[in-house]
């Protein structure tokens, strides 16, 4: 069987949702797939669950490794992937049965290097759809990638995930593209930027087949163990590879990074001021106080305000004004009021 799509699934202590994930993969309408599970040193029954399914379906491949993180797990999967195209799924998530058929046929229709789709986010039972401002169902060429898509990656987070895309494996192999193993956050975005900088065509389709579930311990939710702001600074200060920098003006890169950092800060204000049983209010209050006083944030703030002065709503303007004044209490009051209004 010629493999059309190799799907790479890193797994770490995912037993609660893993069966649903596997079932959604095995039920794909596109049959010519291989499913490469990398068990990243799980201490629960994740490995056994995969082994049980592996006995029933030969398309499942299992790699066991010591706990080394999602980037190394995915890179190990890439080394053995034989598919014409590559997809990624996280073990907590699940996909629609027509997802890879839809993305694959869209890619093949116009010999496209990478296809982008929407995804659905489930947070505390609420579902949020993520879409993008790109032209639909047409091949977007190298100029569009350089002028619109690469900048979008640098200034925003919501395109970063590798899970709502399908990548031509030939591009990955010929350019030795890997997930960065020294980044603790933003590894998906860096992989995407490197891939898109080498791609000649991409396509965005208005299709939603990927369901992302934010669970306790997810990278975006686990505030008691993960220092999000430190990681945002890490992404801000990370030197982009030359193959990306060569496509963009350095001053523009600086502006895009500033926009992304301030967007992250505004997001973390909401995250850390949301009620939490794991982290005391005093700790969260001090965290935000230190974040908005950080020198790099103070330097990036004017750039963000200048670029967005004509598009900001009243609420965001008030938030930014409180950040400018370093008013942590003001930020607490306005976010608390926002939560009450949105109940």
């Amino acid at each position: 069987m010629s493999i059309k799509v190799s799907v790479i699934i890193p797994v770490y202590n995912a037993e609660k949702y893993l069966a649903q994930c596997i079932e959604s993969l095995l039920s794909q309408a596109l049959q010519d797939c291989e499913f490469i599970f990398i068990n990243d040193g799980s201490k629960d029954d994740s490995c056994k669950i995969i082994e049980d399914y592996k006995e029933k379906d030969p398309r499942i491949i299992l790699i066991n490794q010591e706990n080394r993180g999602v980037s190394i797990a995915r890179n190990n999967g890439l080394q053995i992937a034989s598919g014409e195209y590559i997809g990624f799924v996280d073990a907590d998530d699940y996909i629609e049965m027509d997802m890879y058929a839809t993305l694959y046929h869209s890619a093949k229709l116009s010999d496209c290097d990478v296809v982008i789709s929407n995804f659905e986010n489930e947070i505390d039972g609420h579902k949020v759809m993520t879409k993008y401002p790109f032209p639909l169902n047409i091949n977007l060429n190298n100029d569009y990638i350089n002028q619109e898509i690469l900048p979008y990656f640098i200034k925003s987070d919501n395109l970063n995930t590798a899970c709502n895309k399908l990548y031509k494996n030939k591009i990955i192999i010929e350019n030795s593209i890997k997930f960065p193993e020294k980044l603790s956050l933003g590894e998906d975005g860096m992989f995407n930027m490197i891939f898109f900088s080498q791609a000649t065509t991409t396509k965005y389709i208005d299709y939603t087949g990927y369901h992302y579930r934010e669970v306790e311990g997810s990278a975006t939710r686990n505030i008691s163990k993960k220092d999000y702001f430190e990681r945002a600074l890490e992404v801000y200060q990370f030197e982009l590879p030359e193959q990306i920098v060569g496509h963009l003006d350095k001053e523009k890169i600086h502006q895009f990074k500033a926009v992304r950092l301030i967007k992250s800060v505004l997001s973390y204000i909401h995250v850390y001021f949301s009620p939490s049983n794991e982290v005391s209010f005093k700790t969260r209050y001090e965290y935000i106080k230190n974040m908005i006083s950080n020198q790099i944030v103070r330097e990036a703030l004017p750039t963000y305000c200048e670029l967005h002065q004509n598009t900001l709503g009243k609420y965001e303007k008030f938030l930014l004004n409180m950040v400018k004044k370093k008013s942590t209490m003001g930020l607490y009051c306005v976010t608390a009021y926002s939560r009450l209004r949105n109940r």
Side-chain angles (χ1 to χ4, degrees), residues 300-324:
L301 195 58
T303 300
Y304 180 90
C305 293
E306 180 182 348
L307 292 175
H308 288 79
Q309 59 183 341
N310 297 323
T311 59
L312 295 174
K314 289 183 180 179
Y315 178 71
E316 191 173 24
K317 283 181 179 178
F318 191 88
L319 276 181
L320 287 167
N321 193 37
M322 292 299 99
V323 174
K324 283 181 184 177

Side-chain angles (χ1 to χ4, degrees), residues 110-148:
S110 48
D111 190 27
C112 195
D113 291 338
V114 53
V115 176
I116 304 167
S117 66
N118 308 322
F119 70 94
E120 185 182 74
N121 216 20
E122 184 177 320
I123 308 173
D124 298 331
H126 300 286
K127 295 182 178 180
V128 179
M129 185 85 69
T130 297
K131 297 188 175 186
Y132 305 104
F134 309 138
L136 284 166
N137 301 318
I138 60 171
N139 264 22
L140 304 171
N141 63 20
N142 188 256
D143 286 341
Y144 188 89
I145 291 172
N146 292 337
Q147 293 169 19
E148 300 293 336

Side-chain angles (χ1 to χ4, degrees), residues 270 273 315 330-342:
H270 285 278
F273 269 150
Y315 178 71
L331 290 169
Y332 170 72
C333 292
V334 72
T335 53
Y337 177 71
S338 175
R339 281 197 305 276
L340 285 172
R341 284 198 63 184
N342 292 325

Side-chain angles (χ1 to χ4, degrees), residues 5 15 21 33-34 51 61-62 68 75 111 119 122 138 162 202 209-211 217 234 290 312 320 340:
V5 175
E15 64 178 5
C21 175
C33 298
E34 63 179 5
E51 287 173 342
I61 299 168
L62 173 60
R68 301 179 67 194
N75 289 339
D111 190 27
F119 70 94
E122 184 177 320
I138 60 171
T202 186
Y210 195 92
H211 301 276
E234 182 183 342
N290 292 332
L312 295 174
L320 287 167
L340 285 172

